Amino acid sequence: MFRMSRWITLFASLTAVAALPLLLVSVRGERHIPAPTWVKSAKAQSGDWKWSSASTGAVKGKVNFSAKRPNQPMVVYLVKVDDAGKVTTQGQHAVPAELKVSQKGAKFDPGFAVLTRGQDVTFENDEEKAISHNVYFLGDIELDLGIFEQGAAASHTFEDYGEISVHCSIHKRMDAKFFVAPNPAYALLDGDGETFEIKGVPVGKYKLLTWQKQKRFKDVDMAVEIKDGATVDVIVEMTR
Amino acid sequence: MRWALTTLLFMAALAGCASAPSYPDPQPGSGQILVTLNGQAREGVKGPAREDEHGEYSITRTSVEKGRDFERVNYKAISDVVVIVPEAAMTTRGLASSVELVVDEAGFSRSQLVMSPGTELTVRNRRDTALTVLGFSGADFFELTVKPGASASTRVAAAGTYEIACDEDESLAGTLFVTGSMYWSGTSDEGAFFDALPPGEYTVEVYAPRLPSSTRRLTVSGGKRQTVAVDLTVNDLPKARR
């Protein structure tokens, strides 16, 4: 959960900003917070338990915003934790079909997507002319898929989760943004969505977290326990 | 005629000076850091440069990596690179009094900005509709509503990395680095020069838009200049197997 709590970590360590992992150095006086310091070491493990064989419950809730919200999507998602509140195995779950991303006209289409960990994405160079594209990821997952010619494609399976910005090194304005959820227990709220319900969640302890495509509020990190056949009601307060 | 020739030579000399910046020699007791930013292909990279109809500034090349061809990409030019030496505590020296961000039909004038805490940030709106420009660092935020053809200012007090966005146009995006370090440079891709650094260990951080950030650790000695060459490239990203 280390990676996904990037923002939370940021808030917690603001007064002691030297805690950021990139720069383990002694500091004199005041210092700045580095640019988004994506942590790339944490891996999500499936474990040997199966979502399909678990007893399930649900969580539903309302999201309140302390100020005007941008007309941008946000995600409310659950991460399985152990009794000590630490991120544990996320279970084996069904994975949605491969996401196909077009690159026609030097544009990623879709330019935004929420995926589930384990899902495949294929970038298709469907240009009508002989134009090459490159795809690389920055963010929680950093990877270069290389360059491919018109008619070729490049695929990747997301084994980890988090925020990924997708770029083409050949084309300056060719960008996309993905959020890969750690498991299927997430809800995507549109620009004006304020309520959510996540059903079929295996019983147990979770963290409920938020992710915003355009960061404007402090992300939420709250404990939620899912019980068999029950629905937990939560209020998610998004504040600055 | 002779005067014209002299003038021409003088102008040529000026142009020469402008293209190759010269830096003062280091003084005894303090050192310097020169960060050079390399957007060109690296050693070992071969093959012809290639551009397509969308290719604004890229060169693609082929290199041999682990016994097989692997195509690589290097940028020709990148603007708005921010270089920060974070250990150096802020003093009253070197503070910019204001930083300006212009919004016109093409978008933000800068994709990355850097300044010290308390500096005035001015947003100038060259569009014909009012805009609300916001910045959020995860802990602090600012919000400016700017009338068409006007400007608005705020002082950003808290250090942090602010994502800048606009309510009316979601395609507008930028990053504002508010750093407590007195050593930073946010001007161009020509590099960064830091003078009169007390001898000691330093970290140099380089942030280029759309590229992985780069961190270098180095020791500065009195009377010496340390040169750090940083490649602005995706070459060092892990490569997907295929």
Side-chain angles (χ1 to χ4, degrees):
Chain A
M1 207 42 254
F2 192 19
R3 295 175 312 157
M4 287 320 302
S5 61
R6 188 179 101 252
W7 285 99
I8 297 146
T9 310
L10 215 60
F11 316 145
S13 61
L14 192 76
T15 49
V17 287
L20 280 155
L22 191 66
L23 301 153
L24 298 170
V25 289
S26 62
V27 292
R28 287 180 288 130
E30 196 183 356
R31 60 165 303 173
H32 83 298
I33 301 167
T37 312
W38 314 93
V39 178
K40 296 166 212 93
S41 55
K43 293 266 176 192
Q45 299 293 329
S46 293
D48 52 8
W49 62 281
K50 293 187 173 69
W51 283 54
S52 54
S53 58
S55 310
T56 62
V59 56
K60 75 179 175 78
K62 175 155 191 329
V63 186
N64 293 331
F65 299 91
S66 67
K68 192 187 169 213
R69 181 192 167 189
N71 186 26
Q72 294 276 339
M74 68 173 279
V75 175
V76 176
Y77 66 101
L78 301 181
V79 180
K80 186 93 166 70
V81 295
D82 61 19
D83 285 340
K86 284 193 173 169
V87 175
T88 180
T89 58
Q90 298 301 306
Q92 296 172 20
H93 49 75
V95 172
E98 171 193 59
L99 175 75
K100 289 194 169 161
V101 180
S102 161
Q103 295 178 298
K104 202 175 280 179
K107 225 176 140 175
F108 290 118
D109 184 20
F112 167 67
V114 179
L115 298 109
T116 306
R117 190 176 57 87
Q119 195 171 349
D120 293 331
V121 61
T122 295
F123 297 90
E124 297 177 317
N125 186 339
D126 49 0
E127 291 282 8
E128 281 156 7
K129 293 178 184 168
I131 291 168
S132 299
H133 286 303
N134 156 269
V135 174
Y136 67 98
F137 303 149
L138 296 179
D140 291 331
I141 297 161
E142 295 202 335
L143 190 70
D144 182 6
L145 298 187
I147 295 169
F148 38 105
E149 311 293 327
Q150 179 198 19
S155 296
H156 179 69
T157 305
F158 286 105
E159 305 290 354
D160 299 317
Y161 61 96
E163 176 179 320
I164 298 128
S165 60
V166 183
H167 308 281
C168 170
S169 61
I170 300 174
H171 301 106
K172 193 180 179 179
R173 290 176 188 83
M174 193 168 165
D175 304 310
K177 182 83 84 180
F178 290 170
F179 178 74
V180 183
N183 59 51
Y186 72 83
L188 171 62
L189 280 76
D190 292 333
D192 55 357
E194 291 185 344
T195 58
F196 64 91
E197 182 165 12
I198 304 170
K199 294 179 185 170
V201 184
V203 297
K205 290 184 174 172
Y206 291 86
K207 273 185 186 196
L208 183 148
L209 299 144
T210 55
W211 176 83
Q212 305 159 76
K213 180 162 177 265
Q214 192 186 93
K215 275 86 186 153
R216 205 172 285 191
F217 300 93
K218 292 172 187 173
D219 274 312
V220 160
D221 178 350
M222 59 198 277
V224 170
E225 183 158 7
I226 302 291
K227 289 181 176 160
D228 192 12
T231 297
V232 190
D233 273 295
V234 295
I235 301 279
V236 177
E237 298 285 355
M238 302 297 285
T239 60
R240 283 167 163 181
Chain B
M1 187 65 196
R2 204 174 59 183
W3 280 112
L5 199 68
T6 311
T7 311
L8 209 69
L9 281 171
F10 181 65
M11 282 172 72
L14 270 182
C17 286
S19 63
S22 63
Y23 301 106
D25 289 333
Q27 298 300 306
S30 71
Q32 301 175 333
I33 298 175
L34 174 63
V35 183
T36 60
L37 303 172
N38 178 18
Q40 299 295 323
R42 299 194 315 175
E43 198 181 343
V45 178
K46 57 178 186 175
R50 202 170 46 170
E51 286 189 32
D52 63 43
E53 64 183 51
H54 300 297
E56 290 156 287
Y57 60 25
S58 71
I59 311 171
T60 64
R61 292 171 192 268
T62 303
S63 72
V64 178
E65 187 175 285
K66 289 175 188 166
R68 68 199 159 92
D69 280 353
F70 204 108
E71 288 197 86
R72 301 184 138 182
V73 173
N74 291 77
Y75 290 94
K76 271 196 289 203
I78 298 168
S79 58
D80 299 336
V81 179
V82 168
V83 180
I84 298 172
V85 182
E87 284 94 338
M90 190 183 73
T91 70
T92 51
R93 277 206 294 157
L95 295 185
S97 57
S98 68
V99 167
E100 187 174 81
L101 180 67
V102 179
V103 193
D104 61 16
E105 293 311 320
F108 283 148
S109 56
R110 308 280 303 276
S111 61
Q112 295 200 140
L113 298 156
V114 57
M115 62 187 210
S116 299
T119 305
E120 189 171 68
L121 171 72
T122 298
V123 176
R124 192 168 298 282
N125 181 2
R126 294 220 172 109
R127 292 189 175 181
D128 53 12
T129 53
L131 297 172
T132 304
V133 174
L134 304 100
F136 184 64
S137 72
D140 210 340
F141 74 97
F142 63 84
E143 186 171 328
L144 284 168
T145 300
V146 201
K147 288 177 185 159
S151 66
S153 300
T154 185
R155 286 190 191 278
V156 184
T161 303
Y162 293 76
E163 287 192 21
I164 308 177
C166 175
D167 263 348
E168 290 79 10
D169 184 350
E170 67 171 74
S171 71
L172 295 177
T175 307
L176 171 69
F177 298 82
V178 179
T179 170
S181 167
M182 69 173 285
Y183 295 104
W184 47 257
S185 169
T187 50
S188 67
D189 60 349
E190 286 163 7
F193 178 69
F194 303 99
D195 197 6
L197 289 155
E201 294 271 311
Y202 289 90
T203 301
V204 173
E205 299 170 357
V206 179
Y207 303 104
R210 298 174 87 243
L211 286 174
S213 59
S214 174
T215 302
R216 300 288 181 83
R217 197 90 183 106
L218 53 87
T219 305
V220 168
S221 315
K224 293 204 168 134
R225 177 185 300 164
Q226 280 274 13
T227 301
V228 187
V230 176
D231 287 325
L232 300 174
T233 174
V234 298
N235 284 357
D236 300 327
L237 283 176
K239 306 293 172 201
R241 270 178 254 117
R242 53 175 190 180

